[in-house]
Amino acid sequence: MTFSWSRPITKIRKLALLSSLGVGLIASTLAGEAANAKTFRFAFQGELKAVDIYALKESFSLGVLSNVYEGLVRRNAEMKLEPALAERWETIDPLRWRFYLRKGVKFHNGEDFTADDVLFSVDRIRTPGSDLKANLPADLVAVKVDDYTVDFVLKTPNPLLIAEWETFSIFSRKWAVANGATEATSASATTPPYAALHANGTGPFIIVSHEPGVKTVFKANPNWWDKPKHNLDEVIFTPVTSSATRVAALLSGEVDWIDPVPVADIPRVESNPGTMVAAGPELRTIYLSFDQMRPELTGSNVKGKNPFKDVRVRKAFYQAIDVETIKTKVMRNLATPSPVMIAPALFSKYNDFKRFPYDPEASKKLLAEAGYPQGFEVTLDCPNDRYVNDEAICQAVVGMLARVGVKINLLAQTKSKYFAKILASGGYDTSFYLLGWTPATLENYNVFSNLMMCRDEKGKGSPTNLGGYCNPKMDDLVNKALVEPDPAKQEAMYAEAYKIALFDDVGYIPLHQQALAWGMSKKIKVPQRPDNYFIFAWVNKE
Amino acid sequence: MTAEPLIDTDITPRTDGTDERRGRFARLLDSDIMASFLASKLTVLAGFVTFAFLIIALFAPLIAPFNPFDPAQVFLIDARDPPIWMAGSDPRFLLGTDDQGRDMLSALFYGLRVSLLIGGLGVLLSALIGVTLGLIAGYAGGRIDALIMRIADIQLTFPAILIALLVDGVVHALLKSGGREDTAFGVMVLSIGLSFWVQYARTVRGSTLVERNKDYVHAARLIGLRSPQILWRHVLPNVLGPVLVIATINLALAVITEATLSFLGVGLPPTQPSLGTLIRIGNAYLFSGEWWIVAFPGITLAVLVIAVNMLGDWLRDALNPRLR
Amino acid sequence: MLAFILRRLGSAAIVLIFVGVLAFILFRYVGDPVNQMVGIDTSIADRDRLRESLGLNDSVIVQALRFLGHAAMFDFGVSYQFKRPVAELLIERMPATLELSLISALLSLVIGIPMGVASALGKDRWYAKLLQAVSLAGISLPTFLIGILFIYLFSVTLRWFPSFGRGDTVKLGTYWTTGLLTSSGLRALILPAMTLALFQMTLIMRLVRSEMLEVLRSDHIRFARARGLPARSINFRHALKNSLVPVITVAGLQLGSVIAFATITETVFQWPGMGLLFLQSVQNVDVPIMAAYLLFVAAMFVAINLVVDILYLAVDPRLKTTSKAH
């Protein structure tokens, strides 16, 4: 793997999985058509809701449905973009991208894939029911050159144009028209949307049946255009909500793969003969931040002013938190404490940064200087079923801040209530919160534009900048960096922007990148993508 | 969860013709009953255990070695230490520590206190609602009776989990971003109180129907006492026996319900755990070999529930003379 | 009699309408459904548009009335999460829940009755007391913990039974799927049924015990004893038979709560029934499913109560004046 895990993970085998893929292929041909067809069973904590890939922007369903639907491009196990339904592409000029489509590709129902389907998909992904509208710039126009060539015309140059095109999946126009599925699945429809229950992609797997919330069965697509990297005949997915049950199902051999394995259960899965844990770095950064916008906090005993507007208070919070102990005790070493808001794999200058040291004494001093020698009270908003050990992390933060005199009221709740409170739709009702973020485009700009640039009360600007941190100097720098053609200069500009926001202003407390922990049967070989998309089309089973 | 008819339905008082003026409550102190209590060693044991738990709960802050509710005294570095008789233990922590480094023993003491307080207040609230509505329904009869019993029917269709979620939501909406710690306790009490009143209402209504037609009530009415007075002074004491029995058993049930709600993510905050919250947290360590995080709260809860239920059994048998 | 039934049907309808309206009014406090339907970085404009198209911007009363209007025609809307008609989802999940509930009710009777008889006949003996204490095991730990302990013991350690799901099912007719006809289906049923039955077993056992004790004291048993009938015949032919009527009645009444109770068990064992669907819908703020499920449970409670009342009325006409027999 090209991703560098900053330190070795003790006890967890690092998987050299990629090299084994070829071996798996040979094994499968040797085994021939054995009596038992190869069925791969897997369980995840959440459900696969609708099988319309445009319906929900969420990594699990996008990952699973990527086995059924394909985009013009795709990402390999190293996250590099490679051709998929497009054989190749070129930028004729910064405002015109030309894609040459692959010939001879067929949808699962046997129809040919052509430029019309691409044009249709551009329209479909922009229909009101789609949650993936942001994958294409709003000003983009698709132009058919011939049946196998499509031009994408832009109004402003956009170097990140195809960053999210793996999930800009291509739908068959004829199929969609014939079945009334020309609009992306919308929940408000009074009749059941056809595409929510039926899929017709070009990918390596075909959906045989989909019982939402119960079971989804896939079978291998014998007519797939590419050489399969898997040796499976059938794949069965079951959601298993309860963590203990999910782990039990793996231990007893009822399923071949589960996600996630609670970190506490990793040694158990490792010691069980026949199962193991594949742990690797995930791209998600977990961080804390504060309301720096309101004149008075909504969840605090400090009245008439907002203590978080004072950089000393923010830094005091930062230095009161012992992220190393959280790593060892709460995360059982399956985390990388992070100085910035992005994973090391996505930022070349990551290692130039160093977190402020853990120093409760300095923290107390800063609080006293800021006029809070006795500390103050504030509510911490935290999900309890969203990120790895989220509630336990928050609890640890409560204890650490208590020792510098700050009393935290912990409001740890289920994600539906948590997000309803803290996001724009809830009026950003939070004073201090924990959140996790994976940049969908896998680069820095996404982090800044979503989390860190100025916004107004309504959320115009960076919509997920919940605390409203704002430094126009940083915004300028980031906007310049976006269009900087020289990658080295661009990275340096982003680095400067992180320095301003995280070290000069201490607008955020990045905690760590959490790890992925897949539980698998030892019979399974599969590469792990750090964005936690599960591509079972890469699975080889003994 | 509607756990209403868990308890035998035959605890409505039976009229045995004698002793009508003396309430069953008064008879509790009867030496006969004390004798039946002492006659069974198991009952004595159950009584002793319950009493001990009550004492622990009452004096938890005095006898616990640590204060697990003070985050400043909890050090993450101590997390998941095993009990003192195992390798790798820390002599400060007799029963080990939980995932945050809290002393298990202290957490148990405090958790017991929280659980019993929630259970007790919840039961009190449900008894208050149930007895009041039951008395009114039974005494007034007619439309009022029908209305109250229909409300009871409606209530039965709402699982406790949903009641808790709704109460929690409404409380938060009303208080506008009140912290969880301040409100969670009240939310739990209210949820349990609103989930369990139906049984009291039905039982008391049944008893009241019987009592209402008795001579002493007619007499009271004749001398001009008003309905509330009759209900309060005369009918109520006679239906308190069964209420006491239900309350005892519901106390156990309330503690269990609180644990279940915690499992569903609407329980008490992890910073001030009840027994149920401790079990919910420890539940995650069942497979990993750190059994003490779930085993001790689990055993404590089981022993508490069994002891309280046995007391309830004894009370029911003792209050029902036909079973003696 | 007819008038009574009509009156009860009328009040049943009122109960259902009440449940529907009440549920709907309160649901808006459970959370924001839109957050669960889109990704975290979905724009505010898109969220508003979705909210509008779902009718969430209308007043709660309007929403509730609209829901009731549709529900009266058995149209419960489309699930926010699964984008499928709720009625279809519920019908699909119903067999799993009903099979689990019925089997566990049966199990609790089969185990609970002998235990109750033994502890009644041996009243005051040590083993009877012990039985009573042991029977409390079913209610002394939260269901979720019992379920997980079962899984740990029987699935992971002994590997006797599967830890989740329903095994292979067979389709009977258009709507019904059954797991009772395949070996994997039967094996999958055992752990959840036992978990669910434990709680009921405690109730049945205690009920049998106290009914038996009552009956054993009644005049006709005393008379039978006086006549010198053998103890075995008295205990089982007469006493048990007489105790069972109320036990069966209560067990029937309990079926409603068993189904409501099954939610936790279904969650732990990932049993694809209505309870699991309901809990997931609570987490996802899937209002149409929550509302329809509650209406279903309410209808079931009302129906069972009604049937019991009518039966009692048929048996004992004197009860005509008091509406409730329970």
Side-chain angles (χ1 to χ4, degrees):
Chain A
M1 272 191 246
T2 51
F3 287 94
S4 51
W5 187 248
S6 54
R7 59 215 72 193
I9 314 157
T10 46
K11 284 193 176 176
I12 310 292
R13 252 151 295 179
K14 283 196 75 176
L15 301 172
L17 290 163
L18 286 174
S19 57
S20 60
L21 284 175
V23 180
L25 256 178
I26 297 164
S28 79
T29 41
L30 285 179
E33 297 305 313
N36 54 334
K38 277 203 197 305
T39 300
F40 172 71
R41 295 168 203 275
F42 75 103
F44 180 69
Q45 65 178 356
E47 306 120 352
L48 183 61
K49 284 152 184 167
V51 297
D52 186 339
I53 193 168
Y54 293 171
L56 180 65
K57 189 167 192 169
E58 180 245 342
S59 32
F60 174 72
S61 63
L62 290 178
V64 166
L65 292 173
S66 296
N67 295 289
V68 177
Y69 285 105
E70 291 172 300
L72 298 176
V73 300
R74 68 183 178 197
R75 288 188 187 272
N76 62 15
E78 289 100 354
M79 302 300 296
K80 293 270 178 298
L81 283 171
E82 61 179 32
L85 291 181
E87 277 176 330
R88 62 199 169 86
W89 61 91
E90 60 194 4
T91 41
I92 295 176
D93 62 64
L95 295 178
R96 181 178 285 262
W97 295 51
R98 176 160 292 178
F99 279 76
Y100 300 94
L101 307 185
R102 195 177 294 278
K103 291 178 181 132
V105 174
K106 287 192 186 305
F107 284 98
H108 294 159
N109 67 351
E111 284 163 4
D112 287 323
F113 156 73
T114 66
D116 289 334
D117 299 313
V118 176
L119 263 57
F120 166 73
S121 300
V122 171
D123 291 340
R124 190 175 191 275
I125 206 169
R126 288 170 169 169
T127 52
S130 162
D131 200 25
L132 299 185
K133 292 188 197 84
N135 288 22
L136 302 188
D139 59 8
L140 173 123
V141 178
V143 181
K144 177 178 168 180
V145 179
D146 60 48
D147 268 357
Y148 292 97
T149 315
V150 178
D151 278 0
F152 292 95
V153 184
L154 293 162
K155 291 236 164 57
T156 50
N158 187 345
L160 299 176
L161 178 67
I162 61 172
E164 289 185 76
W165 277 24
E166 182 182 35
T167 50
F168 163 39
S169 307
I170 304 303
F171 279 71
S172 155
R173 190 179 69 87
K174 276 189 205 144
W175 174 81
V177 170
N179 293 298
T182 51
E183 299 228 336
T185 296
S186 163
S188 54
T190 42
T191 48
Y194 186 82
L197 292 173
H198 306 86
N200 180 37
T202 55
F205 281 88
I206 301 171
I207 292 182
V208 179
S209 67
H210 174 57
E211 289 175 69
V214 181
K215 192 161 91 168
T216 309
V217 181
F218 307 79
K219 69 168 192 214
N221 177 3
N223 303 318
W224 192 39
W225 55 270
D226 200 4
K227 208 169 97 180
K229 287 180 176 159
H230 66 87
N231 67 345
L232 308 173
D233 301 306
E234 190 187 34
V235 174
I236 298 176
F237 162 66
T238 330
V240 179
T241 323
S242 153
S243 294
T245 313
R246 198 166 55 246
V247 172
L250 177 72
L251 293 178
S252 59
E254 291 163 72
V255 295
D256 300 311
W257 182 95
I258 62 168
D259 179 43
V261 179
V263 285
D265 292 331
I266 288 174
R268 173 73 207 225
V269 174
E270 281 281 308
S271 64
N272 185 53
T275 59
M276 62 181 198
V277 171
E282 194 183 339
L283 298 178
R284 177 172 281 137
T285 305
I286 305 292
Y287 66 95
L288 295 163
S289 187
F290 334 83
D291 179 357
Q292 298 154 63
M293 201 164 173
R294 287 188 179 85
E296 181 183 299
L297 294 176
T298 51
S300 171
N301 65 346
V302 179
K303 296 296 165 202
K305 57 177 174 172
N306 176 348
F308 291 136
K309 281 189 185 276
D310 188 332
V311 64
R312 289 171 297 192
V313 174
R314 302 198 293 265
K315 193 171 177 195
F317 272 51
Y318 194 127
Q319 293 205 286
I321 293 168
D322 179 2
V323 76
E324 283 296 326
T325 309
I326 291 179
K327 179 192 129 191
T328 53
K329 287 293 177 175
V330 177
M331 304 300 287
R332 302 197 192 215
N333 290 322
L334 281 180
T336 321
S338 179
V340 289
M341 303 282 282
I342 192 163
L346 304 178
F347 183 41
S348 61
K349 295 194 172 301
Y350 182 95
N351 287 324
D352 296 355
F353 290 93
K354 233 190 154 82
R355 289 180 52 96
F356 286 125
Y358 164 60
D359 188 344
E361 288 313 313
S363 170
K364 274 186 210 159
K365 232 170 92 194
L366 282 165
L367 280 173
E369 281 171 24
Y372 305 98
Q374 308 299 322
F376 57 93
E377 262 185 68
V378 65
T379 299
L380 169 59
D381 285 293
C382 186
N384 61 13
D385 52 4
R386 183 67 189 89
Y387 311 114
V388 176
N389 288 349
D390 40 17
E391 187 181 72
I393 295 171
C394 289
Q395 246 183 294
V397 167
V398 171
M400 290 162 180
L401 284 169
R403 284 191 279 284
V404 298
V406 176
K407 182 176 183 311
I408 303 283
N409 293 310
L410 177 56
L411 183 57
Q413 42 185 356
T414 182
K415 54 186 178 236
S416 62
K417 295 187 132 196
Y418 158 79
F419 282 124
K421 181 171 186 275
I422 65 163
L423 291 185
S425 49
Y428 298 112
D429 181 12
T430 180
S431 300
F432 185 35
Y433 62 93
L434 178 128
L435 194 69
W437 191 264
T438 310
T441 52
L442 306 177
E443 50 69 62
N444 289 293
Y445 182 73
N446 178 287
V447 175
F448 288 104
S449 67
N450 278 288
L451 307 182
M452 296 166 76
M453 289 161 81
C454 302
R455 68 159 171 87
D456 65 12
E457 281 84 6
K458 294 253 174 273
K460 209 167 151 39
S462 279
T464 320
N465 179 0
L466 308 180
Y469 164 77
C470 180
N471 186 335
K473 209 172 88 193
M474 189 207 78
D475 284 16
D476 279 351
L477 199 56
V478 170
N479 283 329
K480 278 191 199 118
L482 173 68
V483 288
E484 169 61 51
D486 178 359
K489 275 191 195 154
Q490 190 187 39
E491 293 281 276
M493 288 160 90
Y494 285 135
E496 179 61 22
Y498 282 125
K499 189 185 155 292
I500 293 171
L502 302 176
F503 293 88
D504 298 348
D505 293 346
V506 203
Y508 303 81
I509 309 176
L511 293 178
H512 54 239
Q513 277 87 37
Q514 64 186 32
L516 285 175
W518 291 355
M520 340 199 286
S521 152
K522 282 184 180 154
K523 290 181 179 157
I524 298 297
K525 296 218 180 332
V526 60
Q528 192 169 45
R529 260 173 61 156
D531 58 357
N532 205 15
Y533 277 31
F534 180 51
I535 310 294
F536 53 72
W538 295 342
V539 166
N540 277 268
K541 185 174 178 177
E542 270 171 35
Chain B
M1 231 173 9
T2 41
E4 182 256 334
L6 212 206
I7 301 149
D8 311 5
T9 46
D10 68 331
I11 38 177
T12 45
R14 282 154 222 265
T15 41
D16 39 10
T18 59
D19 216 356
E20 275 181 356
R21 295 307 308 266
R22 280 182 75 199
R24 286 173 204 286
F25 193 62
R27 272 188 266 150
L28 182 67
L29 301 172
D30 206 303
S31 59
D32 229 20
I33 291 181
M34 279 319 281
S36 89
F37 177 78
L38 293 173
S40 161
K41 288 195 183 79
L42 274 171
T43 311
V44 174
L45 187 67
F48 176 75
V49 168
T50 311
F51 182 71
F53 277 8
L54 280 175
I55 293 293
I56 289 175
L58 206 59
F59 297 107
L62 298 178
I63 51 179
F66 295 88
N67 178 1
F69 286 7
D70 178 5
Q73 286 187 36
V74 177
F75 291 87
L76 189 58
I77 201 83
D78 299 326
R80 303 191 309 270
D81 281 345
I84 198 155
W85 58 87
M86 285 170 66
S89 62
D90 183 320
R92 285 177 297 159
F93 309 118
L94 185 64
L95 298 180
T97 57
D98 74 356
D99 67 320
Q100 288 286 328
R102 276 187 294 238
D103 174 40
M104 272 321 295
L105 186 69
S106 309
L108 280 184
F109 287 179
Y110 275 75
L112 197 62
R113 180 183 166 94
V114 174
S115 284
L116 280 174
L117 203 60
I118 286 185
L121 289 176
V123 164
L124 205 67
L125 183 63
S126 56
L128 213 66
I129 301 173
V131 170
T132 310
L133 290 179
L135 278 176
I136 294 174
Y139 194 82
R143 276 168 193 276
I144 296 178
D145 180 22
L147 179 72
I148 290 177
M149 286 300 108
R150 284 302 82 74
I151 294 177
D153 285 351
I154 293 173
Q155 200 286 316
L156 278 184
T157 63
F158 282 84
I161 153 80
L162 196 70
I163 294 181
L165 278 171
L166 294 176
V167 171
D168 186 63
V170 173
V171 166
H172 275 139
L174 292 181
L175 292 186
K176 222 42 192 154
S177 74
R180 182 64 166 276
E181 288 175 13
D182 316 330
T183 52
F185 189 85
V187 166
M188 279 295 105
V189 171
L190 212 58
S191 311
I192 290 172
L194 291 177
S195 308
F196 288 109
W197 61 270
V198 175
Q199 200 182 5
Y200 299 95
R202 288 196 169 166
T203 308
V204 169
R205 173 181 171 273
S207 311
T208 311
L209 280 176
V210 174
E211 299 288 326
R212 155 178 96 160
N213 292 321
K214 287 198 182 150
D215 292 340
Y216 74 92
V217 176
H218 288 306
R221 216 178 273 148
L222 278 178
I223 61 170
L225 283 182
R226 287 182 308 141
S227 301
Q229 274 175 302
I230 298 175
L231 285 175
W232 176 252
R233 299 243 312 260
H234 300 283
V235 180
L236 185 63
N238 282 294
V239 296
L240 268 186
V243 167
L244 197 65
V245 174
I246 303 176
T248 317
I249 299 173
N250 267 359
L251 177 67
L253 209 59
V255 173
I256 292 275
T257 303
E258 189 269 318
T260 306
L261 290 176
S262 174
F263 173 70
L264 295 171
V266 286
L268 291 172
T271 43
Q272 294 184 8
S274 64
L275 280 183
T277 316
L278 287 175
I279 292 177
R280 192 259 301 172
I281 294 169
N283 178 30
Y285 300 93
L286 207 60
F287 289 2
S288 67
E290 285 135 353
W291 52 268
W292 59 91
I293 304 180
V294 65
F296 293 128
I299 292 167
T300 310
L301 180 68
V303 170
L304 172 72
V305 170
I306 291 178
V308 170
N309 263 299
M310 287 177 67
L311 276 186
D313 284 354
W314 158 76
L315 201 59
R316 191 197 48 229
D317 287 3
L319 288 178
N320 187 347
R322 299 240 316 243
L323 290 184
R324 257 194 272 142
Chain C
M1 176 104 174
L2 190 69
F4 169 77
I5 292 175
L6 282 178
R7 207 166 58 233
R8 287 307 308 264
L9 276 177
S11 73
I14 293 170
V15 166
L16 288 183
I17 291 173
F18 238 90
V19 169
V21 174
L22 198 66
F24 225 91
I25 291 174
L26 294 175
F27 278 156
R28 64 174 171 157
Y29 294 117
V30 175
D32 178 10
V34 171
N35 270 321
Q36 296 303 104
M37 296 167 68
V38 297
I40 179 175
D41 47 352
T42 300
S43 74
I44 299 159
D46 274 353
R47 286 167 187 263
D48 284 346
R49 195 199 40 71
L50 185 58
R51 196 181 305 280
E52 184 63 43
S53 72
L54 291 172
L56 293 172
N57 286 341
D58 301 337
S59 81
V60 182
I61 299 295
V62 171
Q63 290 183 51
L65 290 180
R66 188 168 51 214
F67 172 78
L68 277 183
H70 289 150
M73 293 174 287
F74 292 99
D75 170 13
F76 298 101
V78 176
S79 152
Y80 292 165
Q81 292 292 315
F82 298 130
K83 332 272 185 206
R84 289 189 58 196
V86 171
E88 219 175 280
L89 278 170
L90 279 180
I91 288 171
E92 242 175 53
R93 303 288 191 99
M94 201 178 298
T97 295
L98 289 184
E99 277 183 4
L100 175 64
S101 307
L102 286 172
I103 296 292
S104 79
L106 218 63
L107 213 66
S108 61
L109 286 174
V110 167
I111 302 173
I113 291 176
M115 277 177 75
V117 170
S119 77
L121 294 182
K123 183 176 179 290
D124 294 335
R125 304 249 183 82
W126 66 270
Y127 70 83
K129 292 272 173 201
L130 195 69
L131 265 183
Q132 252 194 303
V134 167
S135 80
L136 287 171
I139 58 162
S140 62
L141 282 177
T143 315
F144 70 90
L145 191 59
I146 294 179
I148 290 167
L149 286 174
F150 274 2
I151 289 176
Y152 190 68
L153 185 62
F154 294 110
S155 303
V156 176
T157 312
L158 297 171
R159 310 231 164 156
W160 288 355
F161 306 114
S163 56
F164 77 96
R166 215 182 155 201
D168 296 326
T169 53
V170 177
K171 232 177 153 77
L172 298 177
T174 335
Y175 294 117
W176 199 269
T177 54
T178 180
L180 300 178
L181 296 177
T182 62
S183 68
S184 74
L186 286 174
R187 272 160 37 92
L189 183 62
I190 291 173
L191 289 187
M194 265 172 33
T195 309
L196 192 55
L198 263 183
F199 197 93
Q200 297 303 311
M201 187 203 75
T202 308
L203 163 75
I204 300 287
M205 182 242 163
R206 307 174 125 234
L207 199 61
V208 170
R209 174 180 175 273
S210 60
E211 286 299 329
M212 277 284 275
L213 287 177
E214 282 287 324
V215 176
L216 283 174
R217 263 153 218 282
S218 65
D219 291 341
H220 78 274
I221 296 291
R222 286 188 192 162
F223 182 63
R225 281 221 188 86
R227 270 174 53 196
L229 286 180
R232 173 184 281 268
S233 156
I234 294 175
N235 288 341
F236 291 98
R237 292 260 310 271
H238 300 279
L240 181 59
K241 223 167 86 187
N242 279 313
S243 324
L244 280 189
V245 180
V247 171
I248 302 287
T249 314
V250 171
L253 276 173
Q254 277 293 295
L255 199 61
S257 351
V258 175
I259 292 171
F261 242 104
T263 47
I264 307 287
T265 311
E266 287 183 8
T267 308
V268 171
F269 290 96
Q270 197 69 30
W271 187 262
M274 291 185 295
L276 179 65
L277 186 69
F278 171 68
L279 271 192
Q280 285 170 342
S281 73
V282 169
Q283 263 144 25
N284 290 328
V285 202
D286 201 335
V287 175
I289 294 186
M290 283 196 277
Y293 175 81
L294 274 186
L295 271 187
F296 170 80
V297 175
M300 207 171 48
F301 270 107
V302 166
I304 293 175
N305 272 329
L306 192 63
V307 168
V308 169
D309 281 355
I310 292 171
L311 284 181
Y312 271 120
L313 196 69
V315 172
D316 186 356
R318 280 176 305 167
L319 283 168
K320 252 178 195 160
T321 43
T322 49
S323 57
K324 212 73 205 156
H326 177 51

